[in-house]
């Protein structure tokens, strides 16, 4: 989706703000000779920004306004340790609330709703974002924060909450408790607004059915305000995002070049009006695609697909891009297979073709031969690559407390 005139004007304002500041990006742009942009091509020549920049600028190096204008900071840590700090002006906080209120409205939530907020309050942007958006909307908030399931259920029943906001895993836990305690007749929930992590259809269906609610995926990241820059609608066909606050590009994560609308790639975001910490072309590593055309719900804001995974996890076999979650989905559909698996990538010396070896744990009571045939067929038909499948007994693959490394690539080493 190309920049419109208004967006281009706003980006030039952001560039001027950065150039005039003593911030990390101000210095970088001055050194690089970044000036105004006049076309899509100019814009696409601007350097990407990344979480690494924000770590280098820790703690307040990206602050682009005088300190007296900053009213709050938020922080995200991520998996690699050193946190990043994002400073907000009063207008940034207000803009975020406006966007978040728009999310609630898009989900059909209004002033008479009672919104129970279970994400955490504090340094990260979750709880407080849900809170401010709901107050801006004019709904009644029940600011619970995470945990204490007993009290969550009591408040849900006594206050007759109509909306639950949660991570998908906490929503699932609540759904299970409601069903275990047979409370479904006592609750009056209608809608759930769920943070857009990657979550499976099975989980979605369980939350939906056990709580009897309609679910909405909310999108956002701390670096760009927080959750609330987009949300799915009743059409359940993608996430609307607010293109008056952010410009969204989809790029090929390997070449860095923008891909045509409709094609999958990595989301890159540019803030259009942010004051405290403007970011141009920020690489999110979230994978999605622009959904071309109008949404059946009637909302005019553009759409992206629900988040497919992370570009950091992508691997390529015989020219086909693959993600661990595609393999996970297939394995989940095959009875007897455990959730543990490992992928090794190598190259066949004779044919010089990529070889994908998938090792999967499975239950002894099933036929390993039939299982491996089923897995091979499914991956071949759904992804287009035929792997070699090796089935091992449950407990064979190494366990890790941290994020398990699923893919090992031996091709670079010439093995
Ligand atoms: Zn829609």
């Amino acid at each position: 989706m190309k920049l419109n005139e208004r967006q281009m004007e706003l980006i030039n304002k952001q560039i001027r703000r950065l150039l005039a500041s003593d911030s990390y990006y101000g210095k970088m742009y001055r050194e690089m000779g970044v000036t105004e942009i006049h076309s899509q091509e100019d814009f696409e020549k601007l350097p990407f920004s990344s979480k690494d920049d924000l770590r280098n600028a820790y703690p307040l190096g990206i602050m682009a306004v005088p300190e007296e204008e900053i009213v709050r900071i938020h922080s995200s840590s991520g998996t690699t340790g050193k946190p990043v700090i994002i400073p907000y002006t009063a207008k940034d906080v207000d803009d975020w609330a406006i966007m978040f209120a728009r999310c609630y409205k898009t989900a059909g939530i209004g002033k008479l709703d009672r919104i129970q907020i279970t994400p955490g309050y504090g340094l990260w942007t979750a709880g407080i974002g849900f809170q401010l958006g709901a107050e801006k909307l004019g709904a009644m908030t029940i600011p619970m924060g995470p945990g204490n399931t007993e009290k969550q259920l009591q408040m849900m029943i006594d206050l007759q909450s109509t909306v639950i906001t949660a991570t998908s895993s906490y929503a699932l836990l609540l759904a299970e408790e409601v069903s275990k305690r047979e409370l479904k007749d006592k609750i009056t929930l209608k809608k759930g607004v769920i943070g857009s992590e990657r979550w499976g259809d099975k989980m979605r269906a369980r939350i939906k059915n056990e709580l009897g609610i309609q679910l909405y995926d909310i999108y956002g990241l701390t670096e760009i305000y927080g959750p609330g820059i987009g949300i799915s609608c009743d059409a359940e066909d993608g996430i609307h995002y607010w293109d008056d606050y952010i410009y969204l590009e989809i790029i090929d994560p390997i070449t860095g070049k923008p891909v045509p609308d409709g094609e999958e790639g990595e989301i890159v975001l540019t803030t259009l009006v942010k004051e405290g910490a403007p970011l141009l072309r920020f690489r999110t590593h979230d994978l999605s695609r622009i959904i071309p055309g109008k949404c059946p719900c009637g909302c005019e804001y553009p759409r992206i697909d629900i988040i497919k995974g992370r570009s950091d996890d992508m691997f390529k076999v015989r020219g086909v891009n693959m993600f661990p979650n595609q393999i996970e989905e297939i394995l989940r559909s095959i009875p007897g297979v455990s959730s543990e698996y490992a992928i090794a990538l190598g190259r066949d010396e004779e044919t010089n073709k990529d070889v994908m070896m998938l090792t999967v744990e499975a239950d002894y009571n099933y036929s390993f031969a039939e299982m491996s045939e089923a897995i091979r067929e499914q991956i071949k038909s759904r992804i287009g690559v035929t792997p070699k499948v090796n089935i091992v007994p449950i407990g064979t693959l190494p366990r890790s407390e941290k994020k398990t490394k699923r893919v090992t690539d031996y091709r670079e080493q010439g093995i």
Side-chain angles (χ1 to χ4, degrees), residues 252-267:
D252 179 323
I254 295 157
T255 65
K257 294 268 174 283
V259 300
D261 288 355
E263 262 180 43
E264 211 166 272
E266 179 183 328
I267 300 174

Side-chain angles (χ1 to χ4, degrees), residues 106 232-238 240 295-299 301 303:
T106 304
S232 63
C233 62
D234 282 331
E236 293 191 345
D237 187 16
H240 290 281
C295 183
C297 83
C299 172
Y301 286 100
R303 283 174 301 158

Side-chain angles (χ1 to χ4, degrees), residues 12 48 52 69 112 210 228 239 269 294 334 344 358 366 412:
N12 278 328
F48 290 116
D52 280 340
E69 291 180 36
L112 284 174
E210 286 180 12
I239 293 173
L269 297 173
K294 284 232 161 76
I334 295 172
L358 173 64
Y366 291 78
E412 296 305 306

